[in-house]
Amino acid sequence: MFTATELNIRNQKIERRVKLLFLLMTILLVIPVILILGVLVYEGGPLISVDFLLTDPKDGMTAGGIFPALVGTIWLVIVALLVSVPIGVAAALYLSEYARDNWLTRVINLAIINLAGVPSIVHALFGVGAFVLFFGFGTSILAASLTLAVMTLPVVIVSTREALQAVPQAFREACWNMGATRWQTIRHVVLPNSVSGILTGVILEVSRTAGETAPIMFTGAAFFLPFLPQTVLDQTMAMSLHLFVVSTQVPGVPEQLPFSVALVLIAIVLTMNSISIAFRIYLRGKKKW
Amino acid sequence: MDRQPSPAIDTQDLNLWYGTFQALFDVNLKIKSGLITSLIGPSGCGKTTFLRCINRINERLGYVRTTGSIEVLGHDIYAPEVELIQVRKLVGMVFQRPNPLPLSIRENILFGFRTHNAGKKITKSDEDQIVEDALKRVLLWDTVSSRLHHSATHLSLEEQQKLCIARLLPVKPAVLLMDEPCSALDPRATEAVEELIWELRGDFTILIVTHNMAQARRASDECIFMLLGKVIEHGLTEDVFISPEHKETADYIEGRYG
Ligand SMILES: Nc1ncnc2c1ncn2[C@@H]1O[C@H](COP(=O)(O)OP(=O)(O)OP(=O)(O)O)[C@@H](O)[C@H]1O
Ligand SMILES: [Mg+2]
């Protein structure tokens, strides 16, 4: 009575094949990641040492370490964050908590989404025009970071808005009904419950920023500078550009060096992502609903 | 009705549109002070909409338009000089799904009070007193007094709903609006919350939306029946249930509409 019919058997077959197909796709996806990491560690690993991280490049960048580039990347990222986070979060708060749903907000939303899709080289040119030339910051950390900030702003806004919208509307209504203003509602209920999402979005953004080359290439990153930046108006080396340079621009670089630089760059990104995930887990544990 | 002191809520020709859709038609109601008035009617007839007019929360939606007037305790709440915050202080609202804030029980009770007294110095013992009074008033003190610092969202639904009533009390509202306050609760919890609402009778003017005929019947003084955005009948609950004036009311009460 309960034996499989022909149709059942056919469906089971299809089911198995579909599952296998999806599994294969997943494996295909994972393989490159593992290969990349594997090659990087295998080729670049041996060169990495504390010395490599903490000394200047030598002999026309064919030897020595990456210290100025590492420091430069940290500078660029921090300054970019200091600019994009306050602006992005404020804009997201406005759009999700204050703005009414009318054509103007819809246009703004559309603009933000489109801005997120603009290629980074376009942002780079904008950065040259606006920050380097028009505002007269010259090629400097400031100009490069502002360019990065402009580039990351849309994503910061979108991810912040998603985090805000994950806070149930019922909480807001409860607050308003008790006579709280929007700001009181945001401060006491919305932000505390969305901060984990906001931070995760921001940190993921940062890691992306750290790896960008085009936007900083013309605006503030230098091929080679044997000293560290002192102010935001100085030029700086940066990991991503350094990688580009040692892989393609300088002759006589030992084969492993670019791999080592890439490995450090990826390690930075992965570390930041892990921090972001750890943070999310920690804050989610504290969430009260 | 004539001997009654002025009504707590008095609406005149209240009309409301969501965009182009008219949800309320010429609502004229006088809701008596200190009594429990139940609001019944089929789904979508505008009960929630009406309730939300009385604390002006509908306006959050940009596309809502109202005409007519609503007076609460004799004051027009749609007058230009009216401060919304003050309206909401006087008119508290309880929702269908209990919605305690994701804070501790104590913080929930104090939230409204603090927003209305920001900048004033309040001692911790004053706050303790406020929390205790409010929780006692909703018959919750004995069960939660030992865990005031626990999260309110871990309470049972019944306790959450009671807490949602309690947190309105510290700012001394006159009107409590309740939108199907028991519909997320099981029968026993429903009974407990109903008892509580009956407990509060006299001190507050209570307007309660319900789909539960038995609840409307046993737990309200007056009853309003709405249909398609219009008030069909408003009278003493017994009259509405025993000898309704309109055929639609009778049909609804006997369960002939959804
Ligand atoms: N935000 C809104 N935007 C547009 N139309 C709405 C909105 N809220 C309610 N309506 C419409 O207004 C009418 C009345 O809705 P309302 O929620 O007041 O009914 P209700 O009597 O509370 O129903 P229920 O018993 O299901 O809660 C319905 O036709 C509904 O579709
Ligand atoms: Mg409703």
Side-chain angles (χ1 to χ4, degrees):
Chain A
M1 183 173 188
F2 293 124
T3 48
T5 64
E6 208 147 294
L7 180 69
N8 292 148
I9 293 169
R10 208 168 67 221
N11 281 341
Q12 277 166 13
K13 258 188 207 155
I14 297 178
E15 180 74 11
R16 272 197 299 272
R17 278 182 211 155
V18 170
K19 192 174 150 193
L20 193 67
L21 181 74
F22 290 169
L23 177 65
L24 277 178
M25 292 300 165
T26 311
I27 292 173
L28 272 182
L29 185 86
V30 176
I31 286 174
V33 177
I34 293 176
L35 276 182
I36 293 175
L37 281 179
V39 169
L40 284 182
V41 171
Y42 178 75
E43 298 272 357
L47 261 188
I48 291 187
S49 64
V50 176
D51 248 17
F52 182 72
L53 296 177
L54 295 184
T55 57
D56 291 351
K58 285 190 306 218
D59 306 336
M61 288 191 273
T62 56
I66 52 166
F67 189 53
L70 198 58
V71 172
T73 290
I74 294 171
W75 267 90
L76 288 170
V77 165
I78 288 178
V79 177
L81 268 188
L82 287 179
V83 177
S84 70
V85 170
I87 298 178
V89 171
L93 279 171
Y94 178 77
L95 288 171
S96 111
E97 305 295 320
Y98 288 90
R100 293 198 160 174
D101 184 25
N102 56 25
W103 66 268
L104 184 64
T105 34
R106 264 177 250 150
V107 167
I108 293 178
N109 282 330
L110 210 65
I112 291 169
I113 291 166
N114 281 313
L115 209 59
V118 172
S120 57
I121 188 72
V122 177
H123 282 292
L125 294 179
F126 169 77
V128 172
F131 304 123
V132 177
L133 301 175
F134 183 79
F135 287 109
F137 298 145
T139 46
S140 60
I141 292 179
L142 187 59
S145 290
L146 285 173
T147 311
L148 287 176
V150 170
M151 197 182 78
T152 54
L153 254 180
V155 194
V156 170
I157 294 177
V158 170
S159 68
T160 304
R161 231 165 36 134
E162 267 160 23
L164 293 175
Q165 274 157 13
V167 177
Q169 192 64 14
F171 293 160
R172 298 187 179 85
E173 296 207 326
C175 283
W176 296 337
N177 270 289
M178 281 189 278
T181 60
R182 288 194 187 221
W183 173 238
Q184 285 167 326
T185 307
I186 291 169
R187 204 167 52 122
H188 295 295
V189 174
V190 179
L191 274 185
N193 287 293
S194 54
V195 70
S196 66
I198 295 175
L199 283 174
T200 327
V202 165
I203 297 175
L204 283 177
E205 224 11 69
V206 177
S207 57
R208 207 172 70 103
T209 309
E212 284 290 344
T213 318
I216 58 173
M217 200 156 153
F218 311 126
T219 51
F223 270 41
F224 178 64
L225 278 181
F227 46 82
L228 297 180
Q230 302 301 312
T231 73
V232 289
L233 291 173
D234 292 341
Q235 275 189 303
T236 181
M237 289 181 76
M239 290 295 293
S240 54
L241 185 63
H242 187 59
L243 175 58
F244 173 68
V245 169
V246 293
S247 338
T248 61
Q249 307 290 304
V250 232
V253 175
E255 207 181 307
Q256 284 97 343
L257 185 59
F259 289 102
S260 305
V261 177
L263 189 58
V264 174
L265 188 55
I266 285 209
I268 295 175
V269 171
L270 287 185
T271 310
M272 283 198 277
N273 286 359
S274 321
I275 292 174
S276 134
I277 290 166
F279 219 55
R280 171 176 285 206
I281 292 170
Y282 167 72
L283 285 168
R284 195 183 285 153
K286 290 205 341 184
K287 236 182 214 176
K288 297 225 184 78
W289 88 83
Chain B
M1 205 178 249
D2 301 323
R3 290 181 292 111
Q4 204 68 34
S6 63
I9 303 168
D10 187 351
T11 73
Q12 254 128 45
D13 297 327
L14 182 68
N15 287 281
L16 180 140
W17 289 262
Y18 289 112
T20 55
F21 172 79
Q22 186 164 8
L24 295 178
F25 295 83
D26 291 327
V27 174
N28 287 291
L29 283 171
K30 291 188 196 319
I31 291 162
K32 297 207 183 93
S33 191
L35 298 187
I36 300 178
T37 302
S38 58
L39 188 53
I40 60 172
S43 206
C45 70
K47 305 181 294 294
T48 299
T49 304
F50 175 66
L51 219 56
R52 291 165 71 97
C53 286
I54 303 173
N55 71 351
R56 291 186 60 178
I57 201 85
N58 270 333
E59 290 163 48
R60 292 277 169 190
L61 302 167
Y63 53 93
V64 170
R65 189 165 65 85
T66 43
T67 63
S69 74
I70 301 179
E71 287 182 1
V72 175
L73 304 184
H75 299 281
D76 182 2
I77 59 165
Y78 280 86
E81 73 277 7
V82 164
E83 167 65 46
L84 282 183
I85 307 275
Q86 294 301 327
V87 173
R88 304 218 173 105
K89 185 175 167 187
L90 203 66
V91 182
M93 184 136 183
V94 179
F95 296 81
Q96 188 165 357
R97 275 209 70 76
N99 59 352
L101 297 172
L103 305 168
S104 71
I105 296 173
R106 184 187 149 86
E107 293 297 310
N108 262 279
I109 301 282
L110 291 170
F111 188 91
F113 185 78
R114 286 194 183 139
T115 46
H116 287 287
N117 294 279
K120 277 185 216 153
K121 202 92 200 89
I122 308 159
T123 64
K124 186 165 176 304
S125 66
D126 285 345
E127 289 187 341
D128 290 343
Q129 193 59 46
I130 288 166
V131 171
E132 184 174 339
D133 288 347
L135 287 173
K136 279 190 171 151
R137 194 75 179 83
V138 299
L139 318 172
L140 210 52
W141 177 251
D142 294 336
T143 40
V144 304
S145 58
S146 60
R147 44 190 173 133
L148 294 177
H149 293 282
H150 291 212
S151 168
T153 47
H154 294 326
L155 293 172
S156 76
L157 283 178
E158 172 193 335
E159 290 164 339
Q160 289 188 16
Q161 196 61 302
K162 286 181 168 176
L163 180 70
C164 289
I165 298 175
R167 71 180 173 193
L168 301 172
L169 306 181
V171 299
K172 306 203 173 1
V175 176
L176 297 181
L177 307 172
M178 306 193 181
D179 194 352
E180 303 185 40
C182 300
S183 66
L185 308 181
D186 65 45
R188 219 200 50 70
T190 300
E191 201 175 310
V193 171
E194 256 176 46
E195 256 166 42
L196 165 63
I197 294 170
W198 199 252
E199 246 298 298
L200 298 171
R201 181 178 177 271
D203 293 348
F204 306 94
T205 303
I206 299 176
L207 184 58
I208 174 169
V209 171
T210 177
H211 276 288
N212 182 335
M213 290 305 112
Q215 184 183 36
R217 190 161 183 175
R218 67 175 173 252
S220 69
D221 298 292
E222 296 205 341
C223 183
I224 298 167
F225 173 62
M226 290 181 71
L227 189 61
L228 296 172
K230 297 187 179 105
V231 173
I232 305 292
E233 191 148 349
H234 177 197
L236 293 174
T237 302
E238 331 164 51
D239 294 347
V240 171
F241 276 88
I242 295 168
S243 52
E245 283 172 23
H246 295 82
K247 183 171 172 308
E248 293 98 320
T249 318
D251 286 349
Y252 179 70
I253 289 168
E254 285 159 27
R256 262 175 263 153
Y257 305 75

